[in-house]
């Protein structure tokens, strides 16, 4: 290991000293060398300021869709499929937007799809328990997360409670300044002697992901007996402050998410740290691409899809495997070009599955194959295929489509890299690309690389955020 490291350092030093390379060689460029002038760097900073505000405000799929809808409506999008700017949503959790171009629809659309959901802890239908003098809420985790990362940290509650009358009570607790937060306790190291001999699965159980709601018993006189005095006091408090009862939580969607705002990371503020960057980094950059694109480059018909349920396989009516998005496109074609069959529009279309990938982790470099891994700061990643092992469970972009995109990025001087998720035998993952590929559409994964993906504090690079926005915009502009 030591020798290998030494050789690597030597290699890097040689490269820096002006190592001679073949004219035919290819080395991806660090994005900082592309965004060199101060004016561009100021633009990167200001774009990321807006992104940080978006991340801090949007912590659930409902909040993300509501915010995106508001932005689009502000740009003149309406719910009329016959209009040139059409937007519609389903259950407030996924969104379809269409912007008419000059070209006929039979030439296809330029479609970008990103997902609104993130790994988190959901309240169960019967969340409330009292144990050892603490009122707690039992949770059911959603998506692939490392349970220990959610312990002993400030958490907030976001979501909705829908009463049987149909009235919706929005919930957002633990975010405002001075407001109490929530947490899940962890065992002190002094008593965690068993921990080193346990597997992670044994050590961290889903049944122990219980959120502390309170520890103060109901005030009663000495004669009155209350079997669960803390839980009772908390339920009383919920009735008083939110006007909701225990049964109302059966028809509720309460998500436990990290409390607090997104922020820059590092002395040089070169990184952004936040919950939810997978995949709201792509939601935000794609949304901005659609609203910021050059009005003179208006040939292409542009579609933006924000889908839900990606983290658990895209199942469900609001997930990418839902027919909903196909219906939306059918409505658009019917309204604008009824003589063209939907299938012909789809087959002529190109899509970007806008999702994040893994960046080379400085402390876990062994998980990556360094010739093919993503690196933070090297621009937007294009991933020809995902999947695991022998490319199982993945679609694969065709070489012709990749060539077209590579040309587009190079002509525009947008920093980009071609990546794979990690070492082939280390694991793997998937995106929504396969659902669009199932329509027969040309599709490729494209998005920034992250460190600490699926953790409560994911890291991205400011230059990659900017590059993703530029890449999506270039794709829409054609
Ligand atoms: Mn994702
Ligand atoms: Mn994910």
């Amino acid at each position: 290991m030591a020798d290998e490291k030494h050789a690597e350092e030597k290699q890097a030093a040689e490269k820096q000293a002006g190592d001679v390379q073949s004219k035919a060689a290819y080395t991806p460029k660090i994005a900082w060398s592309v965004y060199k002038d101060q004016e561009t760097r100021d633009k990167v900073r200001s774009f990321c300021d807006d992104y940080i505000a978006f991340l801090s405000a949007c912590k659930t799929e409902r909040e993300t869709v509501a915010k995106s809808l508001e932005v689009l409506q502000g740009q003149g999008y309406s719910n009329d499929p016959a209009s040139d700017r059409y937007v519609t949503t389903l259950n407030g959790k996924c969104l379809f937007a269409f912007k008419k171009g000059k070209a006929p629809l039979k030439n296809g659309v330029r479609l970008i799809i990103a997902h609104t959901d993130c790994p988190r802890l959901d309240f169960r239908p019967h969340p409330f328990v009292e144990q050892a003098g603490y009122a707690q809420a039992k949770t059911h985790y959603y998506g692939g997360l490392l349970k220990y990362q959610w312990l002993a940290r400030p958490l907030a509650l976001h979501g909705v409670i829908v009463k049987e009358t149909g009235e919706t009570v929005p919930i957002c607790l633990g975010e405002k300044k001075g407001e109490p937060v929530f947490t899940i306790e962890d065992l002190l190291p002094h008593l965690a002697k068993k921990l080193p001999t346990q597997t992670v699965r044994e050590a961290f159980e889903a049944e122990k992901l219980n959120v502390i709601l309170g520890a103060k018993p109901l005030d009663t006189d000495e004669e009155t007996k209350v079997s669960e005095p803390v839980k009772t006091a908390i339920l009383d408090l919920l009735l008083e402050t939110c006007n909701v009862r225990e049964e109302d939580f059966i028809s509720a969607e309460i998500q436990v998410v990290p409390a607090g705002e997104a922020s820059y990371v590092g002395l040089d503020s070169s990184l952004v740290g936040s919950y939810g960057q997978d995949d709201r980094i792509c939601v935000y950059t794609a949304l901005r691409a659609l609203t910021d694109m050059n009005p003179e480059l208006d040939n292409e018909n542009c579609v933006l899809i924000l889908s839900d349920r990606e983290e658990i396989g895209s199942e469900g009516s609001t997930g990418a495997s839902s027919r909903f998005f196909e219906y939306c496109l059918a409505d658009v074609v019917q309204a604008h070009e009824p003589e063209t069959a939907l299938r012909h529009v789809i087959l002529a279309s190109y899509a970007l599955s806008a999702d994040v990938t893994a960046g080379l982790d400085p402390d876990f470099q062994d998980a990556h194959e360094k010739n093919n891994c993503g690196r933070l700061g090297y621009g937007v990643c294009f991933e020809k295929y995902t999947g695991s092992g022998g490319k199982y469970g993945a679609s694969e972009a065709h070489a012709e489509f990749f060539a077209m995109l590579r040309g587009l990025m190079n002509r525009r001087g947008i920093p980009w890299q071609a990546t794979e998720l990690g070492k082939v035998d280390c694991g793997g993952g998937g995106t929504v690309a396969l659902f669009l590929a199932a329509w027969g559409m040309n599709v490729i994964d494209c998005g920034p690389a992250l460190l600490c993906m699926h953790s409560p504090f994911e890291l991205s690079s400011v230059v990659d955020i900017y590059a993703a926005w530029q890449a999506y915009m270039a794709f829409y502009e054609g």
Side-chain angles (χ1 to χ4, degrees), residues 115 117 278-279 310-311 354-356 430-431 453-454:
H115 66 91
D117 61 315
D278 173 10
D279 187 32
E310 193 276 344
E311 296 297 354
D355 207 344
V356 298
T431 64
M453 196 200 292
H454 285 199

Side-chain angles (χ1 to χ4, degrees), residues 254-267:
I254 306 291
Q255 302 186 5
V256 183
V257 296
E261 297 191 341
S263 69
Y264 289 109
V265 172
L267 273 177

Side-chain angles (χ1 to χ4, degrees), residues 34 50 65 78 83 102 121 169 244 246 306-307 369 381:
V34 180
D50 295 342
V65 165
S78 79
S83 71
K102 280 208 185 97
L121 308 175
V169 182
V244 288
E246 190 170 11
L306 304 180
S307 72
E369 191 273 283
C381 303

Side-chain angles (χ1 to χ4, degrees), residues 142-165:
Y142 171 94
L145 51 80
L146 294 168
K147 298 183 195 98
Y148 59 81
Q149 294 179 340
W150 292 73
L151 310 178
R153 58 175 303 129
L155 299 168
L157 307 181
H158 288 237
V160 293
I161 298 168
V162 185
K163 297 194 183 184
E164 59 186 325
T165 56

